[in-house]
Amino acid sequence: MFLATAAAFIAIAPAAPAAAAKVDPAIAKAIADPQRSEANRARDVYRHPAETLAFFDVKPEQTVIEYYPGGGWYTEILAPALRGKGRYVAMPPSSERSLAPVKAMLEKNKDRFGAVELVPFSATEASTFPAGTADRVLTFRNVHNLMMNGDAVAAKAFADFYAALKPGGILGVVDHRLPESKDSALEKKSGYLKKSTIIKLATAAGFKLVGESEINANPKDTHDWPDGVWTLPPTLKLGDVDRTKYQAIGESDRVTLKFAKP
């Protein structure tokens, strides 16, 4: 269903080194905030929030949508950093199973996060977010879930992301990387996703790939675990089975892609 030539996702300019991207002071302050949970801070070594948000050029005066904040790992950084100057918008799926935990997380932290906007994503209904008003749409480790719910759901999400952004706005995507040589059927069950699949989704929606980074790469991840990506931290689905081994590997190998709305 996605129309894209190989050149569309192979012939791209290399990204500038992550270290060259300047971290905004408001973002740095939010990352360093001792109010962030200890468990979340411990994962900075794998998720590289300063470098990742600098790569996506996130600024405190922007309107930033985060698709599916989940437990609020990035919300703890983005909402305080944007508070007072910009807008943080949470966009969880509209199902009660997904929506309720996000509402609870935002309510629990309302004094710190401020007035967070909640705009649920619907796979079947038109988006209620005002078109052409967002500066950034960010999603971290969620596109594989969209694909596991079906190609049409993933396509609808990317179309909504495109509609929400201003011309020149950026879509930032981080997800678990499935090597291109692997069987694509694994995308439906392993939690890993090919870079080419993400790029097809984005280009079909109208986006242009403008950069990629290895900020969140992990060469220790061989992408072939018994219970997919959930075998590794932080889930450690196998419990105590080979726990030390998986902890030594760390969190998954991830692709980090930056798209622009022309």
Side-chain angles (χ1 to χ4, degrees):
M1 70 183 280
F2 306 118
L3 300 177
T5 64
F9 51 85
I10 295 176
I12 62 169
K22 185 178 179 180
V23 181
D24 187 275
I27 301 291
K29 181 180 179 181
I31 292 170
D33 188 345
Q35 291 189 79
R36 288 182 66 210
S37 72
E38 184 177 346
N40 283 356
R41 292 165 64 89
R43 297 181 65 199
D44 287 358
V45 66
Y46 300 116
R47 303 196 68 174
H48 311 99
E51 298 88 346
T52 301
L53 295 176
F55 179 65
F56 294 146
D57 196 26
V58 175
K59 304 294 183 185
E61 66 275 8
Q62 293 171 341
T63 293
V64 178
I65 298 173
E66 183 184 1
Y67 172 74
Y68 207 175
W73 198 93
Y74 261 104
T75 312
E76 273 202 324
I77 297 169
L78 290 167
L82 296 168
R83 185 176 183 177
K85 292 185 178 180
R87 296 165 60 203
Y88 172 77
V89 182
M91 185 180 280
S94 58
S95 69
E96 189 61 21
R97 178 183 176 184
S98 300
L99 191 56
V102 173
K103 285 182 176 179
M105 178 268 295
L106 296 175
E107 177 64 22
K108 180 181 177 181
N109 294 280
K110 63 182 179 180
D111 290 342
R112 182 155 55 110
F113 295 170
V116 171
E117 297 176 54
L118 189 66
V119 181
F121 162 74
S122 171
T124 56
E125 302 293 332
S127 175
T128 60
F129 187 82
T133 61
D135 298 287
R136 298 290 181 272
V137 174
L138 308 177
T139 185
F140 306 96
R141 300 157 53 246
N142 284 305
V143 180
H144 68 277
N145 290 316
L146 286 167
M147 288 296 295
M148 289 169 73
N149 283 318
D151 291 358
V153 174
K156 170 65 162 56
F158 274 75
D160 283 4
F161 301 161
Y162 187 90
L165 285 165
K166 301 173 182 177
I170 295 295
L171 167 65
V173 178
V174 178
D175 217 318
H176 312 293
R177 177 183 0 229
L178 183 68
E180 296 294 323
S181 60
K182 295 281 188 179
D183 185 352
S184 294
L186 291 170
E187 294 182 317
K188 297 295 186 181
K189 60 183 180 180
S190 71
Y192 290 99
L193 202 60
K194 292 183 179 182
K195 179 177 76 172
S196 60
T197 297
I198 300 171
I199 296 173
K200 286 178 183 179
L201 278 164
T203 54
F207 286 104
K208 178 181 179 182
L209 180 63
V210 294
E212 64 177 291
S213 173
E214 291 300 297
I215 297 166
N216 296 299
N218 180 0
K220 295 180 182 179
D221 181 2
T222 56
H223 318 89
D224 57 358
W225 311 114
D227 276 298
V229 72
W230 303 284
T231 307
L232 298 176
T235 306
L236 293 168
K237 191 172 181 180
L238 298 181
D240 290 333
V241 177
D242 291 329
R243 189 182 189 90
T244 302
K245 167 187 170 180
Y246 296 128
Q247 287 178 323
I249 291 166
E251 295 193 17
S252 68
D253 176 38
R254 293 163 190 165
V255 62
T256 303
L257 301 173
K258 180 163 63 175
F259 301 93
K261 177 176 179 176

